[in-house]
Amino acid sequence: MDDLKPPITVEDADGVMLKLCLKVEIYFRNAWHPDTRRALLDVFNEYREYFGADFQWTTNPNTGRWKSLKKTPYPYPDEWLADVPQDEEWEFVFHGGKRKTDASDIDFVALGCRGYENEEEAPLSVEGELSYLYCHFPIDFFADRDEKLPGVFRRWCSRLNAEQAYAGFGLAMSHGYETRVEPLVYQMGERFPGLNIGSDTAHSRYLVDSIKTPNWLTALCLPYVDQLGGEAALRQLLPDGWVSAYDGGLIVQAGDKPLLGDAEQGLDVAPYRLAAQVFRPIRSTNHGGIAFGRVDGKKVYHTQEYRAWLARFDQETSDE
């Protein structure tokens, strides 16, 4: 973490707007299936073991309204998720911010899409959308733990039969003041190429048959691996020790540690760039925008701006 340069926390009179964190995001299918829901609960309850005592807020699964976990007991998804009809979408949110709108590096969000006919038999289908979870960890959480983030990531990807997944440095954003912080997210995303910038709801729609650019950890399901020539080809193209298996695909770990880089200081994220060159055939080229507004008259991750961000690793550096 030697290149850790951006502000750790951005706060104003309305609370915490932005916070640097470690972020995990996993995209999966068949959220309507009881086995997938049980798997998701297993992942959530493991996260709850880490941070449950720090949870401050959740949302009502029917109305989406915020509920304080410190005032009155409130049901956890173990109590209701199994009863959601297969043709209905579901979502839950738990976070540790002092205010319900605060950005927090303790944050777990999951959304399950309704069932689609033949979805189980059609991975990478353009029909429907991807279900997802994302969660945050404080950036120093794994420093003194025996199990590091790659082990947790592999276990969760296996449990959910991840179609694609990412882990590394990310930004926790306010729940409610997103449009206020989008300009700062844009500025940080342009400066620090190792940040995982995105919108899970947008990715759910746009990444049904393509992927983002790599983060420190990137999971690819077997159909994507096959499109890249298979496991043997990936192992040949990438450095020793980068490729490992999970139940459903392969994980590429781009180097020994997560990186941020810094365009202003000339700090590259060469391992990510190498992985991106290999992943280029399956990377999204038709993604829509993820934000609105302007910074100094320039658009903030509208469609073309976000596509440019996804393509930021397309040109090789001279030292590779």
Side-chain angles (χ1 to χ4, degrees), residues 255-276:
D256 296 332
K257 62 181 180 179
L259 300 171
L260 280 170
D262 188 335
E264 294 184 6
Q265 300 296 323
L267 297 175
D268 194 23
V269 287
Y272 295 14
R273 194 176 296 277
L274 174 58

Side-chain angles (χ1 to χ4, degrees), residues 9-11 14-19 47 51-59 66-71 93-109 136 138 172-176:
T9 301
V10 177
E11 189 170 1
D14 291 315
V16 181
M17 296 288 108
L18 205 64
K19 197 164 190 177
Y47 188 84
F51 301 116
D54 300 308
F55 287 164
Q56 299 282 342
W57 297 94
T58 187
T59 50
W66 289 107
K67 299 292 181 181
S68 172
L69 292 167
K70 299 302 181 182
K71 293 183 178 180
V93 180
F94 288 81
H95 80 79
K98 183 177 180 180
R99 308 185 194 191
K100 62 187 179 184
T101 54
D102 277 351
S104 175
D105 54 10
I106 296 172
D107 198 353
F108 192 105
V109 177
H136 301 152
M173 293 177 60
S174 165
H175 293 278

Side-chain angles (χ1 to χ4, degrees), residues 164-179:
Q164 57 183 283
Y166 310 87
F169 283 123
L171 297 171
M173 293 177 60
S174 165
H175 293 278
Y177 291 104
E178 292 88 350
T179 56

Side-chain angles (χ1 to χ4, degrees), residues 6-7 10 18 171 180-193 195 197 262-264 294-301 309:
V10 177
L18 205 64
L171 297 171
R180 181 186 299 181
V181 299
E182 281 173 352
L184 182 56
V185 170
Y186 174 79
Q187 291 170 335
M188 293 179 69
E190 294 298 289
R191 177 174 175 180
F192 303 104
L195 278 175
I197 303 294
D262 188 335
E264 294 184 6
R294 292 176 179 268
V295 174
D296 297 329
K298 296 176 61 177
K299 292 181 179 179
V300 177
Y301 288 142
W309 182 86

Side-chain angles (χ1 to χ4, degrees), residues 107-154:
D107 198 353
F108 192 105
V109 177
L111 181 142
C113 297
R114 66 183 182 89
Y116 285 85
E117 186 178 0
N118 296 326
E119 183 175 7
E120 191 170 21
E121 289 77 30
L124 308 187
S125 169
V126 295
E127 297 181 30
E129 300 177 357
L130 295 173
S131 301
Y132 63 82
L133 74 83
Y134 73 79
C135 64
H136 301 152
F137 292 87
I139 57 174
D140 59 353
F141 178 77
F142 292 98
D144 299 320
R145 301 183 68 88
D146 291 335
E147 184 178 41
K148 305 301 183 183
L149 180 57
V152 174
F153 184 74
R154 179 175 296 103

